[in-house]
Amino acid sequence: MILKTAQLRGRALAFIPCLALTLTACNFTEDIYINSDGTGSVSLSFDASEMMAMAGALNDTVEKTKAMDSVMYFSDILDEKKDSIAQLSAEEQERLEKLRPYRMHIKADPETEEMTLSFGRDFDDIAAIGDTFETFQDASALENTPGAGGTPPTPEIRGTSEMEFSFRKGVFKRQTTITDPERHKMKADSLAESASFLSGSTYTLKIHFPSRVKSTTASEATLSIDGKTLIRQVDLVDYLKDPKILDLEVVLED
């Protein structure tokens, strides 16, 4: 029997905190697709099989379903939980509202014990997307709103940086600003405890352009055979400590 929507949603959201900063290696891939008119989509994907199995959730899922291939929309969840969300602070409400354009695609195959998740959204202007990885982590708060019955999330040092994207006249830019250096250092120092567990974890940025790349400031990036996809991979802990390492500028061919 296929899991009910509420069960599926709760199972996925409950694992976001440990998927984002878990005690095992994980590899995240952020794909940005840009059309010639500036519209496009962004998605953050990862293989959750090992972590789900470690927590025992995958085995529980196997007993209840033959397969899972479902998309959940955060706009629906926000509407369903509007009364609970209204009890939160204005800051928390604003943070959760940023989830509205996003959706999560969950696929699981109990026979192979594989599970993948993809968190993403469409955009009319790339300037609207901001930090997808941080927005993804915010999704776990939906299972811990007043009356949800969940355990309050562990306090995190958040909001220490801002990420901006732009795409104008064939020039793409990703720029990060550390808005609170002192708190950001505290956040970086706190990662020391997880560094050994996250050894080997990666964060990969893939940007799919409408035309070939002419030049880029990312000297360590690679290009696809057709020259339209730029790929830059970094160590996950290094990225969490300094998100500026993925900042770059790309100029496309006319």
Side-chain angles (χ1 to χ4, degrees):
M1 181 177 69
I2 300 297
L3 286 173
K4 294 180 180 179
T5 301
Q7 293 175 307
L8 173 62
R9 184 172 64 208
R11 203 173 291 278
L13 295 180
F15 275 86
I16 288 176
C18 61
L19 287 167
L21 285 175
T22 189
L23 299 182
T24 186
C26 47
N27 302 297
F28 293 92
T29 300
E30 180 179 343
D31 281 281
I32 301 175
Y33 293 84
I34 306 175
N35 302 317
S36 57
D37 63 356
T39 63
S41 64
V42 59
S43 66
L44 182 69
S45 58
F46 49 91
D47 186 340
S49 305
E50 182 179 353
M51 286 168 283
M52 289 293 233
M54 286 179 62
L58 183 59
N59 291 334
D60 185 40
T61 301
V62 170
E63 295 173 2
K64 294 185 178 183
T65 181
K66 295 181 178 179
M68 183 189 300
D69 189 347
S70 182
V71 178
M72 64 181 192
Y73 296 88
F74 285 93
S75 57
D76 294 338
I77 305 174
L78 289 169
D79 290 341
E80 290 174 11
K81 292 178 173 287
K82 62 181 180 180
D83 292 337
S84 297
I85 293 173
Q87 300 177 45
L88 301 174
S89 67
E91 181 181 1
E92 285 296 303
Q93 291 185 50
E94 182 179 358
R95 182 158 69 103
L96 291 178
E97 188 60 28
K98 292 181 180 178
L99 289 164
R100 187 169 291 278
Y102 288 86
R103 57 186 175 268
M104 183 174 285
H105 186 191
I106 308 106
K107 293 183 68 175
D109 186 339
E111 293 186 4
T112 59
E113 295 192 342
E114 295 177 335
M115 189 169 203
T116 59
L117 284 82
S118 179
F119 173 82
R121 59 166 291 180
D122 299 324
F123 58 80
D124 293 325
D125 182 350
I126 196 171
I129 67 174
D131 189 336
T132 301
F133 186 77
E134 183 160 297
T135 304
F136 159 72
Q137 295 178 73
D138 289 339
S140 64
L142 285 170
E143 283 301 293
N144 298 291
T145 52
T151 302
T154 302
E156 297 179 15
I157 304 172
R158 307 185 62 77
T160 62
S161 63
E162 293 181 354
M163 192 176 298
E164 295 183 356
F165 291 88
S166 65
F167 181 63
R168 301 184 184 91
K169 298 181 179 179
V171 179
F172 171 90
K173 292 182 181 180
R174 178 193 191 273
Q175 184 173 2
T176 305
T177 302
I178 304 300
T179 56
D180 192 329
E182 184 176 347
R183 291 183 66 243
H184 189 78
K185 184 178 184 305
M186 292 173 59
K187 178 180 180 179
D189 291 343
S190 70
L191 288 168
E193 298 179 2
S194 303
S196 59
F197 296 103
L198 292 172
S199 176
S201 299
T202 60
Y203 195 97
T204 303
L205 177 64
K206 293 184 179 181
I207 312 171
H208 308 264
F209 295 104
S211 57
R212 294 178 61 88
V213 172
K214 179 179 180 180
S215 63
T216 178
T217 56
S219 59
E220 297 182 14
T222 59
L223 295 176
S224 60
I225 295 177
D226 64 5
K228 294 183 179 182
T229 298
L230 180 144
I231 305 166
R232 174 84 165 93
Q233 185 179 89
V234 297
D235 180 86
L236 178 61
V237 174
D238 290 344
Y239 175 68
L240 294 174
K241 290 181 177 180
D242 182 15
K244 293 175 66 67
I245 61 176
L246 284 179
D247 285 358
L248 75 166
E249 179 176 313
V250 179
V251 179
L252 303 183
E253 294 182 356
D254 295 334

